[in-house]
Amino acid sequence: MEPSTIATAAATISTVSTITSRRRKRKIVVIMGPTGAGKSRLSIDLATRFFTNSEIINSDKMQVYSGLDITTNKISMQEQLGVPHHLLGTIDPTKSVFTPSDFLKLASEVISDVKSRRGLPVIVGGSNSLIYSLVTKRYDPKTEVFNGPDPFPVSSDLRYDCCFIWVDVCLPVLNQYLSKRVDEMLDSGMFDELVEFFRSGKHKTVNKSGLGQAIGVPEFEAYFKQIQDFRRPDGGDSDEAYGEAVRKIKDNTCQLAKKQVSKILRLRDAGWELKRIDATEAFRAVMSPEHSGARVAEIWGKQVVEPSMKIVNQFLDE
Ligand code: ATP
C-alpha cells in the first residue's frame, strides 16, 4: 500500500474511533435497594477493596439535607473510611424541597467532575425517583413515574452506561431487621437529636415537605405534644405515647422499604437490567440470637460483596 493510502486509512480510523468514543456512554454504577438493605456498606466495601477510584453520590432524598444525621441514617465520617461522598448533607433544609430535577442537575455535575478525575461514580441510595431523573435520557419532571396519581410509563432510554446493583433482602427478614435498627438508632442518639430539633425550634424552620417529612419527625412531634415536654418516657401516659411513636416509626420504615421494592420492580419490568444480589442470609445471620460478627462478615463477603465485585468488574471490562 502507498504511504499516502496508509495515512488516509489511519486518519479515517482515528476519526471513527473519536466519534465512537464521543458517542460511548459514560459508565456509572448504581447501588439500589430498600432502606436498611446494606447499600452503603456494600459501596464502602467495593470502594475500599476493589474499585479504589470510586466516589459515592448519595441518592437518598432525606440524606441530601444537612441535619438529623441519625434520624435519616446517614453514613458517618468514620464509616466512610475516606471514600469521597457527594450530595450527603449538603442541601439547606430550610429552603425549597430538593426535587428530582435538582438531583439531575447536581449529580450530573458531580459525575462529570468524578469522570474528569478518572474516577468511578457510584450512585447509592433508596430514592428511585432521584435515580430515575438522573439516568433516563429525557427526564421530564411532569411525568411522575412513581408517586403521581397517574403514573407514567418507565423509560428505558438511558443517558449513561449503568451497572445497576439491586441489594435485595426478603421482606419479612428485612422488616425484622428494620425494627431492631429503629431501636438501635433511638439508643444511639436519635431521640436526643429529635429533642434538640424540636426544643431549639429548628422544626419550624425546615421545609415541612422536605426534611420535615423524615421518618421520626412527625411521630415524635406527636409524642412531645402529647406529654407537653421533651423528656424520655418515665412511666404512665408518657410510656404509652412513646411506645406509640416508636411503633409508628417502625411501621413507616417497613412501609417505605416495601414501596421502594415495588418501584424497583417497576424499573426491572420496564427492561432496566438490574443485577439482583440477595443479602437475605447475611441479615438472617445478624438476627439470629447466637450471631457472631465474623460469621455475618463471612456471609456478607461471599454472598454480597464478591458477586457484586464480579458484576462491576465485568461491566468495566465490557
Ligand atoms: P422516591 O419515591 O422519590 O423514590 P423514596 O422511596 O426514598 O423516594 P418516598 O416513598 O417518597 O421515598 O418516601 C416516603 C417517605 O419516607 C419520605 O417522605 C420520608 O418520610 C421517608 N424517608 C425516606 N427516606 C428517608 C430517610 N433516609 N430517613 C427518614 N425518612 C425517610
Side-chain angles (χ1 to χ4, degrees):
M1 216 187 294
E2 290 290 311
S4 62
T5 319
I6 294 172
T8 313
T12 310
I13 289 167
S14 143
T15 312
V16 168
S17 70
T18 310
I19 292 169
T20 318
S21 66
R22 256 193 228 130
R23 278 202 198 128
R24 192 178 288 155
K25 292 182 189 170
R26 290 181 292 177
K27 291 190 181 224
I28 64 171
V29 174
V30 183
I31 301 184
M32 40 210 312
T35 182
K39 300 178 291 297
S40 296
R41 180 170 171 187
L42 173 61
S43 66
I44 296 296
D45 286 343
L46 293 175
T48 51
R49 291 166 54 185
F50 305 105
F51 309 102
T52 51
N53 60 341
S54 299
E55 297 196 30
I56 291 167
I57 302 167
N58 164 54
S59 57
D60 176 304
K61 68 187 192 198
M62 291 294 156
Q63 294 180 3
V64 295
Y65 297 111
S66 58
L68 295 185
D69 294 353
I70 304 171
T71 304
T72 60
N73 210 22
K74 283 188 197 121
I75 181 169
S76 67
M77 278 303 273
Q78 261 175 335
E79 290 164 330
Q80 290 175 26
L81 297 178
V83 178
H85 279 67
H86 303 274
L87 301 184
L88 185 69
T90 52
I91 302 296
D92 183 344
T94 65
K95 301 274 163 59
S96 44
V97 171
F98 186 77
T99 63
S101 300
D102 297 328
F103 184 71
L104 165 61
K105 180 176 179 293
L106 297 181
S108 305
E109 286 167 10
V110 177
I111 290 174
S112 296
D113 286 351
V114 174
K115 285 286 177 189
S116 71
R117 294 189 278 275
R118 297 191 164 279
L120 175 65
V122 182
I123 318 297
V124 183
S127 298
N128 295 291
S129 64
L130 299 190
I131 294 170
Y132 186 80
S133 69
L134 175 68
V135 306
T136 48
K137 214 173 218 163
R138 277 171 286 273
Y139 173 67
D140 175 357
K142 292 193 287 296
T143 56
E144 264 287 6
V145 292
F146 298 120
N147 298 316
D150 209 0
F152 282 80
V154 168
S155 162
S156 51
D157 193 6
L158 305 184
R159 293 170 65 202
Y160 297 99
D161 186 1
C162 298
C163 173
F164 294 110
I165 295 189
W166 162 23
V167 190
D168 194 25
V169 179
C170 99
L171 271 182
V173 175
L174 183 62
N175 287 344
Q176 222 191 330
Y177 169 76
L178 289 173
S179 169
K180 179 171 145 48
R181 189 182 78 169
V182 170
D183 291 331
E184 286 168 359
M185 284 164 67
L186 285 164
D187 290 346
S188 66
M190 177 174 169
F191 181 80
D192 298 327
E193 184 176 79
L194 287 165
V195 166
E196 206 275 321
F197 184 71
F198 283 101
R199 202 199 287 273
S200 65
K202 275 194 202 117
H203 66 293
K204 292 187 190 139
T205 66
V206 302
N207 192 312
K208 291 263 176 296
S209 311
L211 189 60
Q213 299 256 309
I215 296 174
V217 171
E219 295 85 349
F220 268 104
E221 183 167 31
Y223 168 72
F224 296 136
K225 263 203 186 123
Q226 190 169 338
I227 67 161
Q228 298 274 304
D229 200 348
F230 293 113
R231 62 179 197 278
R232 281 180 185 274
D234 52 5
D237 282 359
S238 63
D239 275 8
E240 213 174 289
Y242 182 87
E244 182 60 14
V246 175
R247 234 185 333 275
K248 281 196 176 139
I249 291 174
K250 291 181 176 177
D251 276 1
N252 291 336
T253 309
C254 293
Q255 286 303 323
L256 171 64
K258 192 173 160 201
K259 265 171 50 187
Q260 288 174 325
V261 172
S262 73
K263 291 171 195 171
I264 290 172
L265 292 174
R266 273 203 72 203
L267 297 173
R268 189 197 57 182
D269 294 347
W272 286 33
E273 277 182 46
L274 311 183
K275 307 283 188 203
R276 179 174 169 273
I277 298 287
D278 190 349
T280 304
E281 280 319 307
F283 280 77
R284 269 198 229 283
V286 170
M287 298 308 300
S288 92
E290 65 276 2
H291 95 267
S292 91
R295 179 81 188 118
V296 173
E298 187 190 334
I299 301 175
W300 178 259
K302 282 225 168 73
Q303 299 193 6
V304 181
V305 183
E306 266 181 44
S308 303
M309 179 270 285
K310 284 186 186 144
I311 290 166
V312 177
N313 253 335
Q314 195 181 352
F315 164 75
L316 294 175
D317 283 348
E318 275 165 7

